[in-house]
Amino acid sequence: MDVEDVAVKPLEVIQALVAHKLKQNIDGIDTSLAIRDFVGGKSTLQNEIVGDLQKEFGDQLPEKPEEIPLSELSQGLSPLDNPLGKQSLGLIARLVSSKMPGGFTKAQMCQHLNAKYGLGPLRQEGVLLVALTMEPPSRLESDKSAHVWLDSAANVYSKRTGVALQSHHSLGSSSGLKVGGAIATINSSEFIAAQAAQKALIERTLQALAAYLGASSNLETDDATQAIRLTSTDNNLKAIESATDLDMLASELGPEFIEQIRPVFAPLKARQYNSFWNWARQDLAELYYNIIQGKVTKIDLGLMPNCLRLANRFTPGVVQMLRYLVRCSANKTSAGHALAHKYGTNLLSQYVAQGEVTLPAYQFTQRLLMPCVDVDNSGRVCYTEVSRPGEKDIYAYVQ
C-alpha cells in the first residue's frame, strides 16, 4: 500500500537549507535556535543563509529573520513553488548534476522512491530535501551506489517524519497480475533485465536466420547499427569527460564558485542606461558657465568638435534646458551672456527643426588643407600644408 502523499513543511525546508549551508546533519539543527545562534558570529555566513531563505520564500520572510527561532520563523511561510521553492530546487539540481552518476537524473531518483517505497511526488521531494544535507563527498560511480545512497536518505526521512517505509521491490500494486486470486508482482530491475535478455535473444535469432540464408544482414556489421553504437559510445565518453572536468573544477575551486559562474539570464532584470546622452546635460551646463564667466570668449574651430558632440546628443530634455539658459541670458547685459544667448540661439535654429531634434550626424570640423612644396634658394625642399583657396567648407571640397 502506498504512503499518503503529504507536502513538505516550511520548517523542513528551513532546516535543510541551514544544514546544507553549515554542512551539518539535518538532525543537528535545533528548531528552537535562531540563525545567528548557528553561525557563531560569522556575519557573511549569516547573510548567505538569509539570502537563501529569501530566494526560497520571497517577500514572505519577515524582517530580521536571523533573530527569530526557526520554529517561529516557519509559521505562516509556504514555498513559492509547490512543493519546493527556487533555492531548494536549484540545490537539488546541482546535487544531481555534480554528484550522481552520468545519466542518472532526478526523474530516475523519484522513480526509484516510488517503485521501492510507494512515495508520491510530494514525499519524494521531502526525501530529496533530506538527501541534500547528505551530499556525497564525490561523484557516485554507478546507479547501484546512487540507489544505496538514496535509500539511506529515505531512512532518515522516515525517522524524521515518523512514516514507516516498507520496501515494495515492485512497480506497485497497480502493475500486479492476479494469478489464482493472488497478486503477482515483479521487481523493476528484474523487468528491465528481462527486457534486455529478450532483446539479446531476438538479435541472436536474426543472426542465425541471416547465416542460414547466406545474407549479409549481420547486426554486428550493419552500417546503420554500427553508426548508432559508435555515436552512443562517443556520447557516453563525452559525458564521462564532462563529469570528470566538472568534478576537477569543483574540487579545485569549490562548489560555491561553480554555482556563482553559472550563466543566468532574466529578461525582466535587463536595464538600459543612456549615460552618453545623460552627460549632455552636464556638458551643456559646463559650456554655458564657461561662456558667461569669460573662460570662453569666442566659438572657434577648436571648440566646434565639443559643440557638435553636444548637438548630436540633443534630447527633448536637453533642448528644454538649452531654451531655459537662452531665456536667462536674454535679459543680461554682460558680454558673456550675450555670447551665450547668441550661440544658444544658433544651436536651436540649426539643430532643432520645428520643435524636433535632428538625428545625430557626423560633421567635418577640421581645416581644409592641401600640400605645398617649395624649394628655397639653397636647394632645400620645404613641405607645408596650406588652406585650400575657394573651399570654405567640406561641401565645397567634395564638389
Side-chain angles (χ1 to χ4, degrees):
M1 182 176 180
D2 292 345
V3 180
E4 180 185 0
D5 205 16
V6 178
V8 180
K9 298 179 181 179
L11 181 59
E12 298 177 36
V13 178
I14 296 176
Q15 283 184 282
L17 293 178
V18 174
H20 179 267
K21 183 63 67 173
L22 298 177
K23 294 181 173 57
Q24 294 183 5
N25 191 293
I26 191 172
D27 292 330
I29 304 301
D30 189 351
T31 58
S32 64
L33 300 179
I35 296 176
R36 65 179 180 181
D37 299 326
F38 293 102
V39 299
K42 298 178 181 178
S43 58
T44 303
L45 182 59
Q46 175 177 294
N47 294 336
E48 290 179 356
I49 296 177
V50 173
D52 290 346
L53 295 180
Q54 288 176 342
K55 293 178 183 178
E56 182 75 13
F57 299 102
D59 297 334
Q60 301 181 59
L61 208 64
E63 295 184 0
K64 296 184 178 180
E66 66 276 5
E67 299 179 1
I68 305 175
L70 301 185
S71 56
E72 298 181 13
L73 182 62
S74 64
Q75 297 177 4
L77 295 179
S78 61
L80 298 181
D81 298 330
N82 188 17
L84 299 180
K86 177 181 178 181
Q87 180 65 15
S88 55
L89 289 176
L91 292 175
I92 292 174
R94 189 182 72 176
L95 170 67
V96 174
S97 63
S98 61
K99 300 300 182 181
M100 295 298 104
F104 193 80
T105 63
K106 178 184 175 182
Q108 291 176 300
M109 300 171 70
C110 295
Q111 181 182 7
H112 173 75
L113 293 174
N114 178 260
K116 187 170 183 178
Y117 301 108
L119 297 180
L122 301 180
R123 292 282 189 183
Q124 293 167 13
E125 297 291 354
V127 175
L128 295 180
L129 199 62
V130 173
L132 188 63
T133 65
M134 302 169 57
E135 183 174 339
S138 60
R139 184 183 295 273
L140 300 177
E141 297 180 354
S142 63
D143 293 0
K144 183 178 180 180
S145 58
H147 289 159
V148 173
W149 169 80
L150 194 58
D151 291 339
S152 63
N155 292 331
V156 175
Y157 175 80
S158 174
K159 294 178 182 179
R160 287 180 50 80
T161 58
V163 175
L165 298 181
Q166 296 181 355
S167 179
H168 288 186
H169 293 293
S170 67
L171 292 174
S173 58
S174 60
S175 62
L177 298 176
K178 279 194 174 183
V179 180
I183 298 179
T185 60
I186 58 175
N187 185 279
S188 58
S189 59
E190 294 177 354
F191 179 72
I192 296 175
Q195 284 183 320
Q198 186 179 21
K199 183 179 179 181
L201 176 61
I202 294 174
E203 290 182 354
R204 290 195 300 270
T205 303
L206 289 176
Q207 292 174 12
L209 292 175
Y212 176 77
L213 296 174
S216 59
S217 58
N218 194 328
L219 295 177
E220 296 296 333
T221 59
D222 183 76
D223 293 339
T225 304
Q226 289 287 3
I228 294 174
R229 291 182 177 179
L230 289 175
T231 302
S232 178
T233 303
D234 185 57
N235 292 337
N236 291 336
L237 290 176
K238 289 182 179 179
I240 294 174
E241 291 178 357
S242 300
T244 304
D245 294 341
L246 184 61
D247 290 342
M248 180 185 65
L249 291 175
S251 61
E252 181 70 21
L253 303 175
E256 291 78 10
F257 178 82
I258 301 298
E259 182 65 23
Q260 293 297 327
I261 64 174
R262 288 181 182 272
V264 177
F265 176 74
L268 297 179
K269 295 181 180 179
R271 298 292 183 269
Q272 295 181 354
Y273 298 95
N274 295 324
S275 177
F276 184 72
W277 277 263
N278 291 335
W279 272 98
R281 300 172 182 266
Q282 172 70 20
D283 295 341
L284 176 59
E286 184 177 357
L287 177 61
Y288 173 77
Y289 286 107
N290 285 340
I291 293 176
I292 66 175
Q293 292 176 3
K295 296 180 181 180
V296 176
T297 57
K298 61 179 180 179
I299 306 299
D300 53 11
L301 290 177
L303 192 61
M304 283 303 296
N306 295 334
C307 298
L308 292 176
R309 282 198 298 270
L310 175 62
N312 280 337
R313 291 179 291 166
F314 271 178
T315 61
V318 177
V319 172
Q320 183 180 4
M321 179 179 176
L322 177 58
R323 286 173 175 166
Y324 170 78
L325 296 177
V326 169
R327 290 196 303 268
C328 292
S329 300
N331 301 325
K332 306 294 182 179
T333 58
S334 65
H337 282 93
L339 181 61
H341 181 270
K342 177 181 178 181
Y343 179 63
T345 304
N346 291 339
L347 283 178
L348 290 174
S349 60
Q350 186 174 358
Y351 296 102
V352 183
Q354 298 179 353
E356 295 183 1
V357 179
T358 58
L359 296 176
Y362 171 77
Q363 296 192 30
F364 184 81
T365 59
Q366 303 298 323
R367 292 176 57 194
L368 294 171
L369 304 175
M370 68 176 185
C372 180
V373 180
D374 292 329
V375 181
D376 59 14
N377 296 332
S378 61
R380 291 182 303 176
V381 179
C382 299
Y383 172 82
T384 57
E385 293 182 353
V386 298
S387 300
R388 291 178 175 270
E391 298 178 357
K392 296 182 179 181
D393 51 35
I394 191 65
Y395 300 104
Y397 170 75
V398 173
Q399 294 175 356

